[in-house]
């Protein structure tokens, strides 16, 4: 279960708080996964008592967009992202902290669905624990997301006009030490991966998986949408903890 | 279980912080889980003056009692006039029927009364629970421990850190983050925001 309490001494109109909180949660707590299980109790509360706001200064309000509101939203989002990342770092049995970035030109939800699918793939998470640069499992996870999006049986989520196109999909590992990314797949074609280098990259606790869904080969062209999601690996310890956890 | 923080995680635990004015944090030991004989498992955050509040909650269809109750409280007060959040760890008070709802309300009412608010008012304390699912709360233990958490309230870094620790279950370290900042229209004023969270398993939040 995720619980969170965030307190600030900024004055904020009660009617505006929910929108402010929801905006930050979308790119923080709602962008993490440890084991893919959504709890019965997840709750994050935002409390604002205005104790530091000078008299005469109006409470922040979403009805009056202001620089102050934007600045507070940025601070809140950064703080909630930091908290959310700490949760992933403490994932039961986790040995890796994995950032998944998926870029798409279609829409944000296409990128997010692919990111979620990668983040919840048990077989990929086991590969990461084993320090295996298994891009095939990444592609597999992206691929069945695309399949679901195309399915007539699930029209509610069939919003994307363009499904994932295999020969425009590229996958890289971005090392935590800032060194050059390790390209695993370029526009659907597998790279000759240097296994020694791959092992080096996977020795770091932190790893970034970068997926481009509409890679045209033009390095100067930036994708329109990017979803960032955080997850961890699966280890033996996860099974031990949850096999032992008793009522 | 031993809750000493692993060496590799100690870098994530702050040694100081910048905490918002007017908020106090405290914790106490109720022994919600019989196996927990020494660690605090009740957490309390109180504001000296009423605050605006909002929350996002799980979309899981089997919402735990504190989720249902806190949402009701927020709706009743239209997000205004709150004073506290009270949390227990060790038992999620989930899938516990009507008694679960009564127990969650009882935690809130007990906290409100400690803060001088009448039980006849709309509730001013939000409630959260975390832990095992499907067991009734040992409510007498919890109700007895809430005044102790209230008595332990304070505004130092240690108070916040200990309170963050009290909501932990299988977590290996408390997760506490704070920062101070200013806003463009009055840069001379320093504000603070602080948050703490828990979670290590059953984590794929989808809150609204």
């Amino acid at each position: 279960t995720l619980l969170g309490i965030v307190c600030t001494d900024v004055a904020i109109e009660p009617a505006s708080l929910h929108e402010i909180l929801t905006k930050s949660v979308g790119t923080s707590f709602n962008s993490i996964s440890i084991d893919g299980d959504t709890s019965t109790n997840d709750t994050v509360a935002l409390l604002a008592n205005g104790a530091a706001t000078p008299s005469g200064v109006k409470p922040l309000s979403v009805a009056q967009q202001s620089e102050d509101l934007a600045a507070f939203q940025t601070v809140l989002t950064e703080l909630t992202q930091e908290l959310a990342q700490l949760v992933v770092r403490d994932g039961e049995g986790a040995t890796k902290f994995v950032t998944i970035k998926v870029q798409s030109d279609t829409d944000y939800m296409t990128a997010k669905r692919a990111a979620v699918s990668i983040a919840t793939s048990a077989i990929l998470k086991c590969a990461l624990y084993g320090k295996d640069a298994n891009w095939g499992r990444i592609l597999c996870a992206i691929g069945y997301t695309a399949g679901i999006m195309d399915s007539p049986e699930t029209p509610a989520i069939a919003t994307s006009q363009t499904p994932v196109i295999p020969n425009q999909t590229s996958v890289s590992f971005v090392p935590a030490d800032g060194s050059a990314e390790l390209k695993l797949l370029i526009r659907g074609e597998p790279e000759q991966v240097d296994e020694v280098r791959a092992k080096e990259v996977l020795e770091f606790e932190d790893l970034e998986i970068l997926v481009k869904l509409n890679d045209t080969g033009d390095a100067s062209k930036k994708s329109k949408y990017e979803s960032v999601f955080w997850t961890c690996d699966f280890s033996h310890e996860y099974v031990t903890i949850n096999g032992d956890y008793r009522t | 279980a031993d809750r000493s923080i692993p060496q590799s995680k100690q870098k994530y635990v702050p040694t100081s912080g910048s905490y918002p004015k007017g908020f106090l944090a405290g914790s106490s030991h109720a022994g919600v889980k019989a196996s927990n004989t020494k660690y605090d498992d009740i957490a309390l955050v109180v504001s000296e003056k009423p605050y605006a509040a909002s929350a996002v909650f799980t979309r899981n269809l089997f919402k735990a009692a504190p989720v249902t109750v806190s949402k009701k409280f927020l709706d009743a007060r239209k997000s205004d006039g709150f004073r506290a959040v009270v949390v227990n760890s060790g038992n999620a008070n989930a899938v516990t029927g009507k008694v679960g709802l009564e127990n969650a309300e009882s935690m809130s009412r007990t906290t409100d009364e400690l803060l001088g608010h009448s039980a006849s008012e709309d509730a001013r304390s939000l409630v959260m629970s975390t832990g095992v699912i499907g067991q009734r709360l040992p409510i007498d233990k919890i109700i007895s421990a809430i005044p102790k958490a209230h008595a332990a309230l304070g505004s130092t870094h240690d108070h916040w850190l200990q309170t963050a620790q009290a909501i932990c279950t299988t977590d290996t370290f408390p997760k506490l983050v704070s920062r101070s900042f200013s806003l463009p229209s009055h840069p001379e004023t320093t504000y603070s925001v602080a948050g703490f969270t828990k979670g290590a398993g059953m984590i794929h939040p989808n809150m609204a």
Side-chain angles (χ1 to χ4, degrees):
Chain A
T1 291
L2 175 94
L3 296 183
I5 298 170
V6 179
C7 308
T8 183
D9 47 22
V10 174
I12 304 173
E13 276 193 354
S16 297
L17 264 187
H18 195 70
E19 187 173 328
I20 292 168
L21 176 62
T22 302
K23 205 168 175 181
S24 288
V25 165
T27 55
S28 58
F29 295 114
N30 275 0
S31 291
I32 62 171
S33 183
I34 288 174
D35 47 22
D37 282 302
T38 299
S39 168
T40 52
N41 289 59
D42 292 338
T43 304
V44 173
L46 173 62
L47 326 174
N49 69 1
T53 298
S55 60
V57 174
K58 284 185 178 175
L60 298 182
S61 167
V62 293
Q64 294 168 317
Q65 293 291 324
S66 64
E67 282 188 347
D68 285 356
L69 177 63
F72 178 74
Q73 187 79 62
T74 299
V75 169
L76 180 66
T77 300
E78 287 172 357
L79 182 121
T80 53
Q81 285 182 342
E82 194 175 333
L83 286 168
Q85 289 171 18
L86 288 174
V87 171
V88 174
R89 288 192 183 280
D90 202 17
E92 287 167 348
T95 68
K96 292 254 175 291
F97 175 80
V98 184
T99 301
I100 298 166
K101 284 187 183 169
V102 179
Q103 299 173 347
S104 169
D105 286 338
T106 306
D107 54 34
Y108 175 75
M109 284 314 294
T110 296
K112 180 138 188 179
R113 280 192 204 103
V116 171
S117 192
I118 296 166
T120 52
S121 164
I123 202 163
L124 171 64
K125 289 153 81 87
C126 292
L128 295 172
Y129 174 66
K131 300 184 175 71
D132 176 15
N134 200 321
W135 53 265
R137 293 179 185 179
I138 298 172
L139 281 189
C140 173
I142 298 168
Y144 57 70
T145 310
I148 289 166
M149 286 194 296
D150 292 342
S151 168
E153 285 81 31
T154 54
I157 57 170
T159 55
S160 179
Q161 295 295 311
T162 313
V164 174
I165 300 168
N167 65 10
Q168 288 186 4
T169 302
S170 297
V171 179
S172 305
F173 282 173
V174 181
D177 64 354
S179 58
E181 68 184 72
L182 180 68
K183 293 180 189 299
L184 304 170
L185 183 87
I186 299 179
R187 295 186 293 285
E189 291 293 326
E191 287 292 281
Q192 190 67 42
V193 177
D194 177 346
E195 290 294 339
V196 175
R197 175 68 182 137
K199 192 165 183 310
E200 280 173 7
V201 171
L202 285 160
E203 287 291 343
F204 292 112
E205 181 183 331
D206 287 20
L207 173 71
E208 180 183 317
I209 298 172
L210 175 62
V211 176
K212 296 177 182 175
L213 296 178
N214 300 102
D215 186 1
T216 59
D218 179 356
S220 64
K221 182 177 164 290
K222 283 192 75 175
S223 292
K224 290 182 192 164
Y225 307 98
E226 180 176 85
S227 172
V228 182
F229 211 86
W230 295 280
T231 190
C232 55
D233 57 345
F234 265 153
S235 71
H236 306 277
E237 188 62 15
Y238 179 85
V239 178
T240 301
I241 291 168
N242 285 287
D244 287 347
Y245 200 69
R246 286 285 182 279
T247 59
Chain B
D2 178 18
R3 287 197 190 168
S4 57
I5 298 168
Q7 185 77 29
S8 62
K9 306 292 186 188
Q10 287 180 4
K11 61 189 173 192
Y12 301 121
V13 181
T15 54
S16 63
S18 167
Y19 299 99
K21 296 180 184 73
F23 281 103
L24 303 168
S27 63
S28 63
H29 174 79
V32 172
K33 277 183 90 168
S35 58
N36 174 15
T37 56
K38 57 180 178 179
Y39 297 107
D40 284 358
D41 49 11
I42 302 294
L44 186 61
V45 174
V46 167
S47 174
E48 290 167 340
K49 65 176 197 173
Y51 61 76
S54 185
V56 287
F57 300 103
T58 182
R59 284 174 163 150
N60 191 312
L61 294 177
F62 290 96
K63 290 174 177 52
V67 169
T68 303
V69 163
S70 290
K71 189 171 186 318
K72 183 178 83 173
F73 292 166
L74 283 167
D75 290 344
R77 286 204 156 272
K78 294 184 169 54
S79 287
D80 201 10
F82 285 89
R83 289 292 310 282
V85 181
V86 60
V87 189
N88 78 272
S89 62
N91 183 317
N93 192 11
V95 202
T96 45
K98 284 182 186 169
V99 173
L101 295 169
E102 288 165 11
N103 286 341
E105 294 201 9
S106 175
M107 286 172 65
S108 173
R109 196 163 51 246
T110 301
T111 308
D112 282 354
E113 286 171 0
L114 282 167
L115 298 173
H117 299 289
S118 157
S120 60
E121 292 182 56
D122 283 330
R124 292 176 181 270
S125 299
L126 299 174
V127 188
M128 299 182 192
S129 298
T130 179
V132 295
I133 295 174
Q135 279 199 339
R136 287 186 178 167
L137 285 182
I139 192 65
D140 291 342
K141 285 183 183 178
I142 291 172
I143 295 304
S144 301
I146 291 174
K148 294 174 195 161
H150 180 256
L153 288 170
S155 58
T156 70
H157 171 72
D158 286 347
H159 284 98
W160 284 89
L161 191 62
Q162 201 164 340
T163 304
Q165 180 77 66
I167 68 170
C168 291
T169 52
T170 58
D171 308 59
T172 66
F173 65 93
K175 298 154 190 73
L176 172 66
V177 176
S178 66
R179 56 192 61 182
S180 55
F181 59 96
S182 59
L183 295 175
S185 71
H186 40 288
E188 70 288 353
T189 304
T190 300
Y191 296 100
S192 294
V193 59
F196 60 92
T197 186
K198 64 82 51 182
M202 198 181 272
I203 297 288
H204 187 107
N206 181 8
M207 299 178 288

